[in-house]
Amino acid sequence: MKKYLETFKILTKDEIDFFEQKVVRKKLKKGDFFIKEGKTCKEVGFVVSGLFRSFYHSSMEAEVTYCFTFSNSFVSAYSSFLSQNKTLENIQALTDTEILTISRDQLLKLEQSSTNWLKFFKMMAEQEYIKLEKRIFMLQMETAEKRYLDLLTNQPEYLQLIPLNYLSSYLGITQRHLSRIRKSISN
């Protein structure tokens, strides 16, 4: 976590050390939830190791996977975290995970303590927006094969850990279509 925070070159060593004193280390088993729909998000996690999937239930009660969160990334039901309203999403561990969490109250105190934290949180929000925009563009502009290849290029080690039903949902296709794509790529 410390190395991750240092890459932004905004925070002082003392600010990073103070932050590390405020985080809580948690371990979640495969299948455990970071948050479930209907709850209000009160914390942000930093994934030290493991993999999460974020999903919601469609109007037909089908699970729709819309995001995977990998190591060295933040995880949160962010709109619920900001608004303090109940979330519609579920965030579930796909593997045993280790995360560092910090409460909303602690983050608000950090924001008030230094403009460096405000800059850092602004940069984090901007990065998340860019990732979201990229995801939307990929879904709307690219083929399912291109979306799969993007995941294969950027996170190949996790493709072995993501069940095909979650992966096909994330790509917006059926499992059968995903099988055809995987077969054509392997040939």
Side-chain angles (χ1 to χ4, degrees):
M1 172 74 145
K2 188 173 201 163
K3 286 182 181 181
Y4 179 84
L5 293 174
E6 289 172 346
T7 62
F8 288 90
K9 298 180 177 150
I10 292 175
L11 303 170
T12 67
K13 180 185 179 318
D14 289 341
E15 288 169 329
I16 293 171
D17 290 343
F18 183 75
F19 178 82
E20 288 188 319
Q21 294 170 12
K22 301 299 178 190
V23 298
V24 176
R25 187 172 297 274
K26 293 183 181 178
K27 292 186 178 192
L28 298 176
K29 296 282 185 197
K30 178 181 178 178
D32 288 350
F33 285 84
F34 178 75
I35 192 166
K36 287 186 175 183
E37 63 187 295
K39 302 289 183 190
T40 302
C41 188
K42 304 283 187 191
E43 63 187 354
V44 171
F46 180 81
V47 183
V48 176
S49 64
L51 169 65
F52 286 93
R53 84 170 173 123
S54 299
F55 68 96
Y56 60 88
H57 290 95
S58 71
S59 60
M60 303 191 21
E61 294 302 313
E63 287 185 4
V64 178
T65 300
Y66 71 90
C67 180
F68 295 111
T69 305
F70 304 100
S71 298
N72 294 314
S73 300
F74 284 95
V75 64
S76 182
Y78 195 57
S79 60
S80 174
F81 180 81
L82 291 174
S83 68
Q84 288 300 280
N85 292 326
K86 293 177 181 176
T87 187
L88 297 175
E89 71 182 293
N90 299 280
I91 302 175
Q92 183 181 36
L94 289 183
T95 62
D96 289 349
T97 61
E98 183 177 341
I99 58 174
L100 303 174
T101 63
I102 187 164
S103 72
R104 185 175 191 276
D105 292 339
Q106 288 294 332
L107 283 179
L108 292 174
K109 287 177 185 174
L110 286 174
E111 281 183 357
Q112 294 170 357
S113 72
S114 165
T115 57
N116 289 345
W117 283 110
L118 282 173
K119 289 175 190 173
F120 174 75
F121 294 136
K122 177 181 178 278
M123 287 177 73
M124 293 303 304
E126 289 169 348
Q127 284 187 354
E128 290 305 309
Y129 175 83
I130 290 167
K131 282 195 319 194
L132 177 64
E133 185 178 77
K134 180 183 176 189
R135 170 90 172 118
I136 291 168
F137 287 165
M138 276 287 238
L139 280 171
Q140 293 181 342
M141 295 170 49
E142 299 296 346
T143 65
E145 184 171 332
K146 172 75 169 113
R147 294 192 300 268
Y148 179 78
L149 286 170
D150 182 66
L151 193 56
L152 187 61
T153 301
N154 294 313
Q155 302 294 342
E157 66 277 15
Y158 289 104
L159 288 180
Q160 302 304 317
L161 301 173
I162 300 170
L164 291 181
N165 59 324
Y166 300 156
L167 187 57
S168 61
S169 174
Y170 174 76
L171 295 170
I173 58 176
T174 65
Q175 279 186 259
R176 190 174 188 179
H177 190 182
L178 176 57
S179 294
R180 283 193 298 264
I181 290 170
R182 292 176 67 175
K183 186 176 180 181
S184 73
I185 290 171
S186 66
N187 289 337

